[in-house]
Amino acid sequence: MLANYNKLQNGSDIRGVAIDGAGKEVNLIPEVAKFISYGFVKLLENKINTKGKNLKVAVGMDSRLSGPDLKATVIEGLTDLGCSVYDCGMATTPAMFMTTVLENYKCDGSIMITASHLPYYYNGLKFFTREGGCEKEDIQSILSIASKEESYYGINSSKISKVDFIDEYSKVLVNIIRNGVSSKENYNQPLVGFKIIVDAGNGAGGFFAYKVLEVLGADISGSQFTEPDGRFPNHIPNPENEEAMEYIRNAVLVNNADLGIIFDTDVDRAAIVDSNGREINKNALIALVSSIILEEHQSSIIVTDSITSTGLGEFINKLGGIHHRFKRGYRNVINEAVRLNKEEKESYLAIETSGHAALKENYFLDDGAYLIAKILIKIAKLNEEGKRIESLIKDLKMPWESSDFRLEIKNDNVKDYGAKIITDLQNYVKSTEGFSIVNNNYEGVRVTCDKTNGDGWFLLRLSLHEPVLALNIESDIKGGNQLIVDKLVIFLDKYNELDLSDIK
């Protein structure tokens, strides 16, 4: 077998190279996926205390070229153990979780075959139980079982049901928007009069234009790249990608649209562009969604990742919310919000700058389509007052400059080498005029820089998945980032196994 199973783990997901020809070793072949599906069934059996023949599992995929073959063997693996299977075909990651929730399905678990925004030659698997997404410890358990490569064959005949689940999930979203707007004049089509463009990047999100927006009365002409194509021939389906955002921005301006929506490949992330072509993404998106949530839940804690801006924190606090800056990683952010609620500290929103946004009212599921539904409800209501969505964030203070650097660690012991640099940096900051460490750091070192030393902040942390130190810098003055970089290079230059070419 080609796979090194442990190397397939990517936090709480499984990802690997699934197609030959990219100059990378293929390590996620169909037979490997089959053994991984065995591991998932064994995990479910232990969690629910039952046998595979009593389990219902749903399987879906995004538009990747390797998806059909992987899906076929995953389903084969499930039926080997006697599971009843729903083959959901083309789907989204959030929709697959909903198969465990909706009354007509009530699946015990679900599998989404996707590698999110990664290049076409990658693929992967995400897993859900009725409690939500699997944690990294669950993935370790699944891969441990899979690595034994034991074949299992059930004696019971299994049922495979092919369903257009995205059609059903679209109806759920349509009803959420209808009930949220509660238009007395036009309940069924509350988006009549709006021109809204969708850019799905040839991922799985094109359904939102035809099965949600058009049904609700919106003019969707000008929508682009809505047909699934696993080659992603136009741009990477990723709201963090500058080229992708430029595509949707141009489409909004050329078509004189009221709104542009962009999804990532499996629709667990999204971003928007307003009628003026302004991107509402990253910090701006967090501010927008926070303003909507804080209208409904005053004083809510808003959990974000570690790289959010100072201006965002001020914006949330001014609205009466509590900004809780936590760690990078969407599962980290979501789990922190869940933890706070268990401690009776109300948190209704967990959101990462990448676009992963999870609301308490929606099972803390990071669902790009649900996020957009929430925004559309607000857009329709604001329209009745003669206002536009961008009015909600008019007071958000944006930095003058922002930079993101990746400093590769060339030492074999990446974690220890990176941890030493971070520890040494803390001592350097204490002896450096104009720098001060921010309280309540949950990862790396976040430093505030005074007005004469960059007028901003920087954060140095170990990447979650790559052998790099990630460096984020923001400044409120022109040239401020360079002032900060100059002082940092003095410190970093002494580490011979740290590649500074990006920052220099």
Side-chain angles (χ1 to χ4, degrees):
M1 190 66 66
L2 294 174
N4 180 328
Y5 285 85
N6 290 334
K7 288 186 177 181
L8 292 172
Q9 180 163 7
N10 187 279
S12 57
D13 302 337
I14 286 172
R15 290 179 182 173
V17 178
I19 290 180
D20 198 8
K24 295 179 178 290
E25 181 186 6
V26 175
N27 60 356
L28 185 59
I29 61 175
E31 191 175 355
V32 167
K34 183 177 180 179
F35 284 118
I36 290 171
S37 70
Y38 290 159
F40 182 53
V41 173
K42 294 301 179 182
L43 178 80
L44 287 175
E45 288 180 341
N46 292 333
K47 283 181 178 288
I48 304 173
N49 193 25
T50 188
K51 292 295 182 183
K53 64 182 181 180
N54 300 317
L55 295 172
K56 289 193 296 183
V57 182
V59 183
M61 65 179 188
D62 67 17
S63 60
R64 290 172 183 276
L65 300 174
S66 57
D69 287 344
L70 291 175
K71 179 166 69 70
T73 52
V74 165
I75 290 175
E76 183 181 335
L78 296 172
T79 55
D80 279 352
L81 286 163
C83 299
S84 297
V85 178
Y86 287 105
D87 180 352
C88 297
M90 188 73 61
T92 71
T93 295
M96 293 313 300
F97 167 72
M98 295 304 292
T99 62
T100 71
V101 173
L102 293 186
E103 197 62 40
N104 292 342
Y105 293 86
K106 286 288 185 181
C107 291
D108 300 289
S110 64
I111 301 172
M112 177 65 181
I113 299 169
T114 180
S116 189
H117 62 281
L118 292 181
Y120 75 93
Y121 45 85
Y122 282 94
N123 215 327
L125 297 92
K126 294 185 178 183
F127 303 92
F128 295 99
T129 69
R130 290 179 181 175
E131 284 71 48
C134 282
E135 302 291 345
K136 61 182 180 180
E137 295 80 11
D138 297 321
I139 303 302
Q140 289 169 357
S141 176
I142 290 169
L143 290 175
S144 175
I145 295 167
S147 67
K148 296 173 184 176
E149 297 190 343
E150 295 179 8
S151 295
Y152 301 87
Y153 298 98
I155 58 174
N156 299 290
S157 59
S158 301
K159 180 182 179 182
I160 302 175
S161 303
K162 288 196 172 185
V163 295
D164 185 359
F165 188 75
I166 207 66
D167 188 60
E168 295 196 38
Y169 187 50
S170 297
K171 292 174 184 176
V172 170
L173 293 170
V174 165
N175 286 330
I176 286 170
I177 295 170
R178 283 173 176 163
N179 292 329
V181 178
S182 298
S183 172
K184 294 179 181 179
E185 294 182 0
N186 200 348
Y187 173 82
N188 285 326
Q189 292 192 312
L191 298 183
V192 166
F194 288 97
K195 187 177 182 67
I196 303 175
I197 287 175
V198 171
D199 184 328
N202 301 111
F207 79 94
F208 197 85
Y210 307 104
K211 295 189 176 187
V212 179
L213 294 176
E214 197 167 45
V215 172
L216 291 168
D219 175 358
I220 61 168
S221 58
S223 291
Q224 56 192 17
F225 318 138
T226 57
E227 287 299 314
D229 185 338
R231 297 168 299 169
F232 309 132
N234 296 290
H235 64 73
I236 296 172
N238 180 9
E240 287 189 288
N241 181 269
E242 290 183 9
E243 181 187 25
M245 292 305 298
E246 189 65 17
Y247 266 103
I248 183 62
R249 179 179 178 274
N250 288 338
V252 167
L253 294 175
V254 167
N255 291 280
N256 195 27
D258 298 295
L259 185 74
I261 300 166
I262 185 168
F263 294 112
D264 76 339
T265 317
D266 58 330
V267 197
D268 57 4
R269 295 185 294 135
I272 63 173
V273 173
D274 70 20
S275 58
N276 296 313
R278 176 188 176 186
E279 297 176 13
I280 301 181
N281 199 9
K282 301 179 181 179
N283 284 291
L285 181 65
I286 297 173
L288 179 68
V289 183
S290 296
S291 68
I292 294 172
I293 292 300
L294 289 169
E295 282 186 18
E296 302 170 356
H297 306 285
Q298 296 179 357
S299 303
S300 171
I301 300 172
I302 308 296
V303 182
T304 73
D305 60 350
S306 59
I307 66 170
T308 47
S309 70
T310 303
L312 174 66
E314 294 170 352
F315 178 85
I316 290 172
N317 295 335
K318 187 176 180 181
L319 290 177
I322 301 168
H323 182 211
H324 181 50
R325 188 187 289 114
F326 195 56
K327 299 176 182 178
R328 286 285 278 175
Y330 73 96
R331 288 305 310 174
N332 289 331
V333 173
I334 291 170
N335 289 344
E336 179 69 357
V338 171
R339 182 191 69 80
L340 290 169
N341 280 287
K342 287 180 178 177
E343 294 181 359
E344 298 185 353
K345 300 173 182 176
E346 290 191 339
S347 175
Y348 288 86
L349 174 63
I351 182 167
E352 198 184 30
T353 49
S354 65
H356 284 283
L359 281 67
K360 183 179 180 181
E361 66 192 54
N362 190 42
Y363 310 97
F364 274 122
L365 175 66
D366 50 323
D367 184 345
Y370 187 91
L371 174 71
I372 296 301
K374 194 79 176 174
I375 292 172
L376 289 171
I377 291 168
K378 190 61 182 176
I379 285 174
K381 288 183 173 182
L382 286 171
N383 187 59
E384 294 174 355
E385 303 172 21
K387 298 178 181 177
R388 291 186 174 269
I389 193 69
E390 55 266 32
S391 66
L392 296 182
I393 55 173
K394 66 181 188 309
D395 295 328
L396 175 64
K397 178 184 173 184
M398 299 296 287
W400 186 275
E401 298 177 339
S402 62
S403 302
D404 180 6
F405 301 103
R406 318 283 288 177
L407 312 179
E408 184 181 357
I409 297 172
K410 297 189 174 181
N411 186 287
D412 291 338
N413 198 333
V414 172
K415 287 190 176 181
D416 287 349
Y417 193 77
K420 175 173 171 37
I421 294 173
I422 288 171
T423 299
D424 292 348
L425 176 60
Q426 294 180 53
N427 295 325
Y428 175 73
V429 168
K430 290 174 183 177
S431 61
T432 301
E433 184 178 354
F435 282 8
S436 57
I437 295 174
V438 175
N439 293 328
N440 300 323
N441 270 316
Y442 291 95
E443 63 176 344
V445 181
R446 186 174 175 120
V447 176
T448 296
C449 312
D450 69 17
K451 290 186 180 297
T452 58
N453 289 277
D455 196 11
W457 60 269
F458 68 86
L459 172 70
L460 186 71
R461 61 179 178 83
L462 266 170
S463 170
L464 294 175
H465 308 300
E466 299 175 90
V468 302
L469 281 173
L471 175 63
N472 296 88
I473 306 177
E474 284 191 2
S475 173
D476 291 330
I477 59 172
K478 186 177 182 180
N481 278 12
Q482 190 61 52
L483 290 174
I484 296 170
V485 164
D486 289 343
K487 280 200 168 185
L488 274 175
V489 167
I490 294 172
F491 163 74
L492 294 171
D493 244 342
K494 62 185 177 183
Y495 297 95
N496 297 327
E497 294 176 280
L498 187 66
D499 185 353
L500 299 182
S501 57
D502 192 22
I503 195 173
K504 285 186 173 181

